[in-house]
Amino acid sequence: MTARIGVLISGRGSNMAALIEAAKAEDFPGSIELVLSSHDDAGGLALAQTAGVPSKAVPRHAYKDKSAFEAALSAELERADINFVCLAGFMRVLSGDFVTQWTGRILNIHPSLLPLFRGLNVHEQVLEAGVTVSGCTVHLVTPDLDEGPIIGQAVVPVKPGDTPDTLAARVQKAEHLLYPIALKSCLEGAISGERQSLQLNEILLSLR
Ligand code: GRF
């Protein structure tokens, strides 16, 4: 079985683009079949279109509440027969009801080494803390924000003189490498029916 993957974005879509590129490989165990954006002005929508992936805005503001918004997302995912979801810079917190429907089949990428530095303004938090490494984490999504089981992490140095922007740029390079590897590992684990092993937690990339 090949996974039919839907990617949920809100903005630039550089992680989405990395997933689309990686999924072109013949041995990739899935295909990116749909991109949905919570913002109608997301740059990633145009990127998806250029890549030939069906994409659609499902703008949060067009729905009266979160549950109507999520029903619209679910309808689009169902219409495209999606069976695996990747959140890639999706700036909406999904409800427990939505997430539970996708248990074990929904990933997120977060720009820190979880469980450190959850939430927003992550790079500011990292610089404030004075740590010397940061990175990114791909994890399964559970109803608790930034809490799900970790699939893989990549580490980058925090350099003297870093600003939130310079650190974000370094972390993003790592994100683009990590997310495809972590997705592939996760799908292979899921497809073979094996429990995800510790090995999946050992994806470690070192970037300058
Ligand atoms: C990434 O830094 C990701 O970790 C965070 O949002 C950002 C999305 O960037 N969740 P992009 O839209 O993929 O370029």
Side-chain angles (χ1 to χ4, degrees), residues 111-176:
S112 79
L113 295 171
L114 288 174
L116 299 174
F117 310 116
R118 297 186 169 111
L120 296 174
N121 302 318
V122 170
H123 305 300
E124 285 84 346
Q125 292 185 53
V126 167
L127 293 174
E128 177 71 20
V131 292
T132 57
V133 292
S134 188
C136 51
T137 302
V138 173
H139 64 95
L140 284 161
V141 178
T142 57
D144 297 314
L145 193 64
D146 300 334
E147 283 273 1
I150 291 171
I151 301 294
Q153 295 186 305
V155 178
V156 302
V158 178
K159 296 186 177 177
D162 260 342
T163 64
D165 286 346
T166 58
L167 180 56
R170 194 174 310 119
V171 170
Q172 276 234 315
K173 277 193 199 165
E175 291 183 1
H176 301 159

Side-chain angles (χ1 to χ4, degrees), residues 5 7 16 20 24 31-35 44-56:
I5 302 158
V7 184
M16 172 213 74
I20 290 174
K24 288 180 186 165
S31 53
I32 313 291
E33 298 288 344
L34 181 65
V35 170
L45 286 169
L47 283 183
Q49 202 176 8
T50 305
V53 176
S55 61
K56 188 170 180 182

Side-chain angles (χ1 to χ4, degrees), residues 11-16 88-91 108-111 172 175-176:
R12 204 160 61 117
S14 66
N15 279 287
M16 172 213 74
F90 186 68
M91 298 304 287
N108 182 42
I109 187 154
H110 181 80
Q172 276 234 315
E175 291 183 1
H176 301 159

Side-chain angles (χ1 to χ4, degrees), residues 40-115:
D40 38 23
D41 59 353
L45 286 169
L47 283 183
Q49 202 176 8
T50 305
V53 176
S55 61
K56 188 170 180 182
V58 181
R60 171 65 185 87
H61 63 77
Y63 299 90
K64 69 174 187 329
D65 56 25
K66 186 178 205 162
S67 132
F69 167 63
E70 292 185 348
L73 289 176
S74 294
E76 294 296 342
L77 294 170
E78 206 170 309
R79 210 187 325 271
D81 209 11
I82 298 302
N83 54 26
F84 201 98
V85 171
C86 291
L87 307 183
F90 186 68
M91 298 304 287
R92 291 281 158 189
V93 178
L94 293 164
S95 70
D97 281 351
F98 183 96
V99 168
T100 304
Q101 286 167 31
W102 291 95
T103 299
R105 299 181 297 137
I106 180 166
L107 292 180
N108 182 42
I109 187 154
H110 181 80
S112 79
L113 295 171
L114 288 174

